[in-house]
Amino acid sequence: MIDPKVLRESPDVLRESQRRRGEDVAVIDRLVELDRQRRQAQHDYDELRAEQKQLSKQIGPLQGAVKKNPDDAGAKAELDALMARAGGLSDQVKQADAEATRAAQEADEAWLLVSNIVDMRSPVGGEEDFAVLEVVGTPRDFSTEGFAPRDHLELGEILGAIDVERGAKVSGSRFYFLTGPGALLELALLNLAVAQATSYGFIPVIPPVLVSPRAMEGTGFLGQAAENVYRIESDDMYLVGTAEVPLAGLHSDEILPADSLPLRYVGWSSCFRREAGSYGKDTRGIIRVHQFDKVEMFVFCRPEDAESEHERILGWEREFMDKLEIPYRVIDVATGDLGSSAARKFDIEAWIPTQGTYREVTSTSNTTEFQARRLGIRMRDGDETRALATLNGTLCAMPRVIVALLENHQRADGSVSVPPALQPFLGTDVLRPS
RNA sequence: GGAGGGAUGGCCGAGCGGCCGAAGGCGACGGUCUUGAAAACCGUUGAGGCGUAACCCGUCUCCGUGGGUUCAAAUCCCACUCCCUCCGCCA
């Protein structure tokens, strides 16, 4: 949700944002009208209600007087007159209340359709229109090393680390088992990631992954992204696609002291994604799966600090990739690919040798005040209470990092060398075929 | 799943249907006193909408959520949600 003041004072900002996203612009005009209606209806109700309260206040004492002195015909007549007026007013109040409620509901529903205002620096366009900000590291040239690289699935099978066949047997396509060294690799990555995050003051969290509609909607995942969300219909719950959802909800309906910010959490959770509409894409291996584990950073901070915090989060993501010694590039995601809650988004894409291209491994979004407003998270700054900003960023998405790690560090004999930073957590400097 | 109890402001906790946005206490903040602190005393202390913007002021809404009764609901009635205790089942 966006500050309603923006709608009233400069609706063109919203129109331009929607246009850049390639989303419905007309919804803004509708919203202007609904907003006006809501305020009008509320105002009408307030006036009627004030009148009613005033009348009611007179009735009480008068009733007492009549009771004490039943012969006072004057007081009795006055009381009857008041009751008659109040009775008529009561119906009007009820009607105005219903109208105000209806108008508010309609306006709220329309608001949910509006995505966050895009950062004007985000490149305009669709998925392919990203801007490359930086390229780090040099992909290995396997031809000069004299062998053709195996893909991650082949390596995973040789090492006894990945089993997609049995994953499919048990759960269907896009499911997998991490076994032996694969399972240990995930645990080592987890510990490396959490060690890094806690060293920077992040509070480690293991959150629920099954959440209420409120948390899902508040983080913006029930809009266009809804088709990729697993819903547990029998209980009206959702399986989260990222720890961002429960971490954002952690402080919902709370007012945080400004001096406690920035508040940084690092969550470890399973993530569930339906991957609807991706049939035929990334069908081999574990690049695109329905369930995986991820270490996610999440920050609550002052709106004026959000931009610098976004850079900081990107820095921590890069640091992690640097430790794993994987070549990557950083991209500035285009407006059409931001998702409803992000104003700006940076992805890190790792080099995947067998695909000869860079693939997304992390993503960090500045969601400004959008999620906070929807979830009722504010901060107390001096004597004012106002919205705060939230940001999120991937520290380590297990399957894709494992893919990048295996492919980039493989040797001719099918073994995989372990980058020094990870060795203490894995307890070995090389993974060998079993 | 069965039985019972509960939900009020940052926290604890009172609240005959009208004078209740709500006593009292704690905490926090400001002040007096003090060399400084503590204590004591005095004062302030929820959120949101609207009234064109700020301040003041005014007004409305909010006592778990939704509905109902009533001229009038924190208070009465109904449903739901959540929490606690006991029993059963269970990782």
Side-chain angles (χ1 to χ4, degrees):
Chain A
M1 169 133 196
I2 296 157
D3 189 345
K5 266 189 199 149
V6 176
L7 179 75
R8 288 164 206 161
E9 290 164 11
S10 37
D12 281 340
V13 169
L14 292 180
R15 290 194 186 96
E16 175 62 10
S17 175
Q18 290 290 96
R19 193 190 65 75
R20 287 183 177 227
R21 282 177 174 275
E23 289 176 19
D24 183 20
V25 176
V27 70
I28 304 303
D29 298 304
R30 216 167 75 80
L31 206 49
V32 168
E33 175 56 18
L34 289 174
D35 183 61
R36 194 194 60 73
Q37 279 178 22
R38 187 185 61 201
R39 282 187 291 169
Q40 181 65 49
Q42 183 62 42
H43 187 251
D44 292 349
Y45 168 77
D46 283 356
E47 297 216 313
L48 282 171
R49 177 71 176 149
E51 197 182 337
Q52 181 190 39
K53 282 178 82 165
Q54 209 177 2
L55 273 183
S56 281
K57 251 173 208 159
Q58 296 168 31
I59 289 176
L62 204 56
Q63 226 165 20
V66 169
K67 216 176 224 171
K68 222 182 258 175
N69 197 351
D71 302 330
D72 189 341
K76 196 157 186 311
E78 198 186 335
L79 178 63
D80 288 344
L82 276 179
M83 289 288 264
R85 270 180 67 197
L89 207 53
S90 178
D91 289 338
Q92 288 183 54
V93 168
K94 257 176 206 152
Q95 230 172 45
D97 186 19
E99 172 59 19
T101 305
R102 188 201 60 76
Q105 203 170 355
E106 211 170 318
D108 286 345
E109 279 167 18
W111 265 119
L112 288 179
L113 301 178
V114 183
S115 295
N116 200 1
I117 302 174
V118 294
D119 190 309
M120 294 310 278
R121 290 164 301 185
S122 291
V124 177
E127 196 177 344
E128 304 306 318
D129 297 309
F130 58 84
V132 176
L133 298 179
E134 196 172 351
V135 179
V136 179
T138 312
R140 278 166 66 184
D141 183 356
F142 286 91
S143 62
T144 64
E145 295 187 37
F147 73 102
R150 298 176 166 93
D151 80 1
H152 73 275
L153 184 55
E154 194 178 343
L155 288 165
E157 284 170 349
I158 292 173
L159 296 170
I162 300 171
D163 189 338
V164 294
E165 261 177 52
R166 293 194 174 98
K169 179 174 71 178
V170 171
S171 301
S173 67
R174 297 202 191 287
F175 286 92
Y176 58 101
F177 284 85
L178 289 181
T179 56
L184 294 175
L185 197 50
E186 164 158 342
L187 293 176
L189 287 165
L190 164 66
N191 286 312
L192 177 64
V194 172
Q196 175 183 313
T198 54
S199 82
Y200 289 115
F202 280 79
I203 301 165
V205 177
I206 300 175
V209 293
L210 205 51
V211 301
S212 68
R214 167 97 196 281
M216 217 60 189
E217 188 169 82
T219 38
F221 284 97
L222 292 188
Q224 316 96 301
E227 62 172 12
N228 273 309
V229 173
Y230 283 104
R231 171 152 186 249
I232 311 294
E233 201 158 346
S234 58
D235 297 274
D236 197 19
M237 303 274 284
Y238 294 89
L239 281 166
V240 300
T242 161
E244 170 190 347
V245 175
L247 289 176
L250 180 63
H251 287 299
S252 52
D253 294 321
E254 291 182 28
I255 302 173
L256 306 173
D259 60 16
S260 71
L261 306 175
L263 200 47
R264 301 190 177 104
Y265 292 101
V266 58
W268 176 50
S269 84
S270 293
C271 306
F272 304 88
R273 301 185 179 184
R274 295 187 62 233
E275 296 297 346
S278 67
Y279 307 111
K281 244 195 275 178
D282 299 314
T283 49
R284 183 174 161 83
I286 57 170
I287 290 254
R288 190 177 297 276
V289 292
H290 289 309
Q291 179 189 336
F292 60 98
D293 297 328
K294 181 158 66 74
V295 178
E296 178 85 0
M297 299 177 279
F298 195 90
V299 179
F300 300 86
C301 75
R302 310 171 70 99
E304 53 272 31
D305 295 339
E307 210 177 296
S308 59
E309 185 69 16
H310 199 197
E311 292 289 341
R312 220 166 284 133
I313 291 172
L314 178 61
W316 286 316
E317 292 181 355
R318 294 180 42 156
E319 179 181 334
F320 191 73
M321 293 302 288
D322 291 339
K323 283 176 181 162
L324 297 180
E325 299 177 23
I326 294 167
Y328 63 90
R329 69 180 182 184
V330 181
I331 68 166
D332 198 342
V333 174
T335 49
D337 200 25
L338 286 174
S340 65
S341 56
R344 200 177 193 196
K345 183 192 277 192
F346 303 123
D347 284 359
I348 289 183
E349 299 182 325
W351 176 256
I352 305 299
T354 61
Q355 297 193 1
T357 185
Y358 291 93
R359 298 296 307 267
E360 176 184 345
V361 280
T362 76
S363 179
T364 177
S365 296
N366 180 0
T367 51
T368 61
E369 301 172 13
F370 187 80
Q371 293 178 333
R373 282 182 188 279
R374 288 183 167 212
L375 291 167
I377 312 170
R378 290 163 294 172
M379 61 174 193
R380 190 178 323 281
D381 188 18
D383 53 4
E384 67 170 338
T385 305
R386 58 190 178 102
L388 49 71
T390 60
L391 302 100
N392 63 80
T394 319
L395 192 50
C396 182
M398 297 303 173
R400 290 197 180 177
V401 168
I402 289 172
V403 168
L405 212 53
L406 294 183
E407 293 206 10
N408 281 288
H409 296 313
Q410 65 179 298
R411 299 167 174 175
D413 64 357
S415 65
V416 173
S417 57
V418 178
L422 191 59
Q423 288 173 14
F425 294 92
L426 193 56
T428 179
D429 58 357
V430 62
L431 298 174
R432 294 183 195 288
S434 51

